[in-house]
Amino acid sequence: MTGLPDPGASRAVLIGVHAYEALDDLPAVEQNLTGLRDVFTDPALWGLPESNCVLAPQPPTARTVLDTVWDAAAQATDALIVYFAGHGLTDPHTDELCLALPDSDPERLYTALPYESLRRVILGAGRQARRKVVILDCCYSGRALVGGMSASTHVADQAAVDGTYLLTASAETRKALAPPGERYTAFTGELISTLSDGIPGGPAFLDMETVYRQLHTRLSARSRPLPQQRNRNAGARIALVRNAGGSADPEPPPPSPAFVVRHPLWQAHEGVTLLASKIAPTLGPWPRSVTFTAPDGTLATTTDPAVICDVSTGSDVPDEPGTDLIPVLVRRMRAEWSDGAATAVVMADAMINTAFDVLRVGMVSADHLAARLATDGGRAVELLRSRAAEVKSTEQLLNVVETATGDPAGAASLAKAAEHVGREGVIHIERRGAPGVALETHEGMFLPAAPGGSAGRTYTEPLLFLLTEPPPADLRQWASPEERPVLLLSPDADTDTIVIDLPGGDGPALRVHADDPLGTLDDIAVLTGADLSDPRSPGTVTKIVISAAGLHLDHRGRYDVHRMVRRIDELREKAASASTDAERDNFRLRMAQLAGGVATVWLGPKPSEPDAALVARLNTLARARDGLSALIEHGFVDGAGVALHSVATALTQERTGGAAITVLCAGLSAPYHRLAAARGHSVMVGVKDSAAVLAGAVTAAVETTQQFLALA
């Protein structure tokens, strides 16, 4: 797309709000409009007729803006330029960008103009325009990049080959800058300077890609918010002005399809951005549900990043190398840390976006950037772990669990269960028919019931005969005359159960589940004093209760402490050296049963709650349970992105400059900025997160960014 657009067939709409009723005024915005108009209408630069350059300062209503843009877009057959400067707001329910009008109130977002409405007018009324450029100079303007003028497939289809380009003053979580005393806002000032002064040695016509690079370099040099851009179908080659700085090319350079149409990292970057934008709303203690179409065609909602990845794969996410980076990242976080997937995705997305921009302006090579990221990322993890505090109370544990689950009642029961079972304990998460949450704890060994058998018996001072195979008839006859209650326990390896026989003629009383029936019987022998090798040497316990839930052995005061401690140590060593997760879990469960550290959290449906929603809550609570041991071992840090943001601040002070630090700190600060924009800073105070999970998220996000860079 070489050459300048035809001024007579082009239109520009310059919208600005410099005075507000409920927000701070932005005096420089008024100058922004006249400055850009002077550039576009200068015959030496472009020569757009003044009648084709519409200024819309202080628009009173959203309809005023949309009507003005509609009229201009309907008349444009070559270039359509839409510019907005003013305050940007974010919708806490949708995370979408809203453009603040003179009477807009941040507490009443219906008084602002949703960017989506403006986008639709541009693409609808402006469909005949060959080139479309949108420039946004406002806070959080980067949110327009996601699903906006160029990020999604359907927008590219609407834009066809004519080209669409979106340039924003800042990233989606960053504020734009209006320095006091300066004539223009930071971003627009550099834009006007670049367009009017030109770029010495640059191309004859300044296309948007060249302008973007120059803006990025100049704003970065002044430590100001960095611009963002997206384009589709050669949109980057849209030129708006002649190069007043002296061109190195006597003729406009031909478009470079390898760079403009498809940069080596472009498609992977688009796939990452699109999928990450769907997961980002699920971040933090206040996740927002994401709507998707279920396999049966109905609309469903979820806050689970794994589900979002599953339903997005193969649909609107491009099937290109690198677009699986986010699903792989989510699966990794679930497998290694049980939680933190949304945090890792938000950080990786910000790192990849920033790295992509760094590569596009030629600041550093991909290999060098990846190598530096590894070093700086390791330092970030060290700083994060140094901020961790030990979990010393149930209240602290509850705070972290509630942050992870967003379920106060479930978190409270889980925290109490963790306190009961201790570090080596096991907590079961089960569903129940009754509504609400219930906690079931057991003093002594507890074995959950398996299908079959009866329930509802209590035995005091029973004799326990432990067998390695089903009891023979002579043992039944020998044990029956005993005056004390007698129970025969034998393994059933075919069904992974232990069968409890009552010689008195009641038949099998119960089957209890045990992944390793013989190993569990040997543990019972340690507790009761029985001899598993001699079926005629029984043990005893204070009491046994058989219920529908399972078998409860109250062994208080009846076991050899030293023998039990030795057995627990043996099981701990076996768990540490286990070759599979299943083996490790079995040894841990036996260890917990020996120490009496088993609890069950029962979760029931809320009123009118769909079954899928209950299952999702069960899964969320189970993931929080799986992260308890790392939390207890490594401690907690300030949550809601606060600790991550503080690490970014420390890194920038510790290591001055460098592209890798810029990329890393963009990722570390992204969760904090997103949550602060959606909820405000005050609600983030006091929130706690697992230090281990956040450290794992940083490591995973850095390595995902390195994988992205390896595609270059």
Side-chain angles (χ1 to χ4, degrees):
M1 206 172 283
T2 60
L4 292 178
D6 176 4
S10 301
R11 299 292 186 274
V13 180
L14 310 180
I15 309 157
V17 182
H18 62 271
Y20 287 90
E21 295 178 11
L23 294 163
D24 293 337
D25 290 344
L26 300 170
V29 167
E30 193 170 14
Q31 302 299 322
N32 287 0
L33 302 190
T34 56
L36 279 176
R37 179 198 60 193
D38 293 344
V39 169
F40 292 149
T41 58
D42 186 343
L45 296 176
W46 183 15
L48 183 69
E50 289 202 18
S51 60
N52 290 1
C53 186
V54 180
L55 268 62
Q58 297 299 108
T61 66
R63 178 166 182 172
T64 301
V65 175
L66 299 178
D67 284 346
T68 302
V69 174
W70 181 282
D71 292 341
Q75 298 170 19
T77 56
D78 195 341
L80 171 64
I81 303 168
V82 177
Y83 167 90
F84 174 85
H87 281 295
L89 304 172
T90 57
D91 188 324
H93 302 292
T94 65
D95 276 345
E96 292 177 330
L97 173 67
C98 296
L99 309 179
L101 302 177
D103 66 347
S104 292
D105 185 338
E107 301 299 323
R108 303 181 181 187
L109 280 180
Y110 59 81
T111 58
L113 169 62
Y115 171 74
E116 174 65 14
S117 298
L118 179 62
R119 183 188 75 84
R120 292 182 180 182
V121 168
I122 294 170
L123 293 178
R127 57 185 174 274
Q128 60 185 352
R130 295 181 57 239
R131 331 178 202 212
K132 292 179 276 289
V133 176
V134 176
I135 303 172
L136 301 177
D137 187 355
C138 61
C139 298
Y140 317 117
S141 51
R143 297 200 176 196
L145 302 172
V146 179
M149 291 302 297
S150 62
S152 61
T153 304
H154 74 276
V155 173
D157 294 339
Q158 290 175 329
V161 294
D162 298 330
T164 302
Y165 191 91
L166 173 60
L167 179 65
T168 71
S170 64
E172 62 177 304
T173 59
R174 295 294 304 275
K175 291 187 175 183
L177 188 65
E182 294 191 15
R183 181 178 182 183
Y184 304 116
T185 59
F187 168 77
T188 299
E190 295 293 353
L191 176 62
I192 291 173
S193 177
T194 297
L195 296 178
S196 58
D197 298 341
I199 303 173
F205 298 145
L206 295 183
D207 57 57
M208 297 307 299
E209 174 68 27
T210 303
V211 170
Y212 167 75
R213 290 189 184 192
Q214 183 73 357
L215 289 174
H216 194 287
T217 299
R218 294 175 67 156
L219 289 165
S220 177
R222 301 183 69 181
S223 298
R224 292 185 166 180
L226 298 180
Q228 307 282 302
Q229 61 82 41
R230 296 290 183 271
N231 73 88
R232 281 287 189 178
N233 300 312
R237 301 304 296 181
I238 297 174
L240 296 181
V241 298
R242 297 177 180 86
N243 186 1
S247 170
D249 302 311
E251 297 293 334
S256 173
F259 184 80
V260 175
V261 177
R262 183 165 293 213
H263 182 279
L265 290 175
W266 176 256
Q267 195 64 50
H269 174 258
E270 287 288 282
V272 167
T273 299
L274 184 56
L275 187 51
S277 71
K278 296 181 178 182
I279 293 173
T282 69
L283 175 70
W286 317 279
R288 180 171 61 83
S289 296
V290 174
T291 302
F292 65 95
T293 303
D296 61 2
T298 61
L299 290 179
T301 61
T302 185
T303 58
D304 187 344
V307 173
I308 296 171
C309 288
D310 290 341
V311 300
S312 298
T313 302
S315 56
D316 52 353
V317 177
D319 185 17
E320 295 284 344
T323 55
D324 63 341
L325 290 174
I326 295 300
V328 169
L329 174 59
V330 170
R331 289 195 294 270
R332 172 179 175 175
M333 289 302 298
R334 285 291 163 80
E336 295 181 4
W337 301 106
S338 303
D339 193 18
T343 301
V345 167
V346 168
M347 284 196 291
D349 181 43
M351 290 183 198
I352 288 172
N353 273 322
T354 308
F356 185 60
D357 289 337
V358 165
L359 294 181
R360 287 173 67 83
V361 298
M363 291 177 63
V364 68
S365 72
D367 289 342
H368 178 77
L369 181 58
R372 288 301 310 170
L373 269 177
T375 302
D376 294 336
R379 178 56 180 156
V381 170
E382 290 177 5
L383 289 172
L384 184 63
R385 289 192 182 279
S386 71
R387 286 161 165 73
E390 181 183 355
V391 178
K392 295 182 178 180
S393 68
T394 304
E395 290 73 23
Q396 292 172 331
L397 189 66
L398 173 60
N399 189 317
V400 180
V401 175
E402 189 171 337
T403 298
T405 63
D407 181 356
S413 292
L414 188 56
K416 290 177 182 177
E419 183 180 32
H420 170 77
V421 303
R423 188 179 295 239
E424 307 288 4
V426 170
I427 301 172
H428 300 288
I429 307 295
E430 302 289 348
R431 67 182 296 169
R432 67 176 190 168
V437 183
L439 173 63
E440 181 180 6
T441 60
H442 306 279
E443 297 296 336
M445 176 178 274
F446 175 77
L447 301 174
S454 58
R457 294 185 176 91
T458 298
Y459 301 95
T460 302
E461 301 284 345
L463 292 176
L464 301 182
F465 290 85
L466 308 183
L467 314 173
T468 58
E469 57 187 18
D474 64 331
L475 181 60
R476 291 176 183 269
Q477 295 170 358
W478 178 84
S480 293
E482 290 287 334
E483 294 182 1
R484 295 168 61 184
V486 173
L487 286 82
L488 308 181
L489 280 67
S490 59
D492 185 345
D494 293 337
T495 59
D496 287 338
T497 60
I498 294 174
V499 180
I500 303 172
D501 247 336
L502 299 178
D506 291 336
L510 183 71
R511 285 178 178 264
V512 292
H513 179 75
D515 289 329
D516 180 4
L518 274 176
T520 302
L521 285 171
D522 198 26
D523 296 338
I524 295 175
V526 170
L527 290 176
T528 64
D531 187 346
L532 191 60
S533 63
D534 182 0
R536 297 182 184 272
S537 298
T540 185
V541 291
T542 303
K543 183 170 61 176
I544 282 183
V545 178
I546 298 175
S547 68
L551 174 70
H552 173 212
L553 290 87
D554 184 349
H555 51 74
R556 288 174 291 181
R558 294 301 182 95
Y559 58 87
D560 184 327
V561 174
H562 299 293
R563 187 181 178 193
M564 189 180 78
V565 170
R566 286 197 301 271
R567 172 57 55 85
I568 291 176
D569 288 341
E570 291 172 5
L571 292 173
R572 185 182 292 109
E573 290 176 4
K574 290 180 179 179
S577 60
S579 58
T580 66
D581 290 344
E583 286 182 355
R584 184 185 67 249
D585 291 344
N586 174 55
F587 289 131
R588 285 192 62 236
L589 178 59
R590 287 175 56 191
M591 200 161 41
Q593 290 169 336
L594 267 174
V598 180
T600 302
V601 176
W602 296 91
L603 194 63
K606 297 178 181 178
S608 304
E609 182 180 36
D611 187 68
L614 174 58
V615 171
R617 289 199 295 125
L618 284 163
N619 291 337
T620 299
L621 205 59
R623 289 195 297 271
R625 171 206 59 195
D626 294 341
L628 284 175
S629 116
L631 167 62
I632 294 171
E633 181 177 355
H634 298 287
F636 64 89
V637 293
D638 290 332
V642 173
L644 293 170
H645 184 55
S646 72
V647 168
T649 301
L651 278 174
T652 56
Q653 295 172 349
E654 179 180 294
R655 304 187 178 191
T656 56
I661 286 293
T662 300
V663 170
L664 178 62
C665 290
L668 292 172
S669 295
Y672 173 81
H673 287 307
R674 172 171 286 277
L675 291 173
R679 292 282 177 170
H681 298 274
S682 60
V683 300
M684 300 163 69
V685 176
V687 176
K688 305 299 179 185
D689 271 327
S690 166
V693 171
L694 289 188
V698 172
T699 300
V702 167
E703 292 180 2
T704 299
T705 305
Q706 291 176 303
Q707 293 164 9
F708 170 81
L709 293 170
L711 298 172

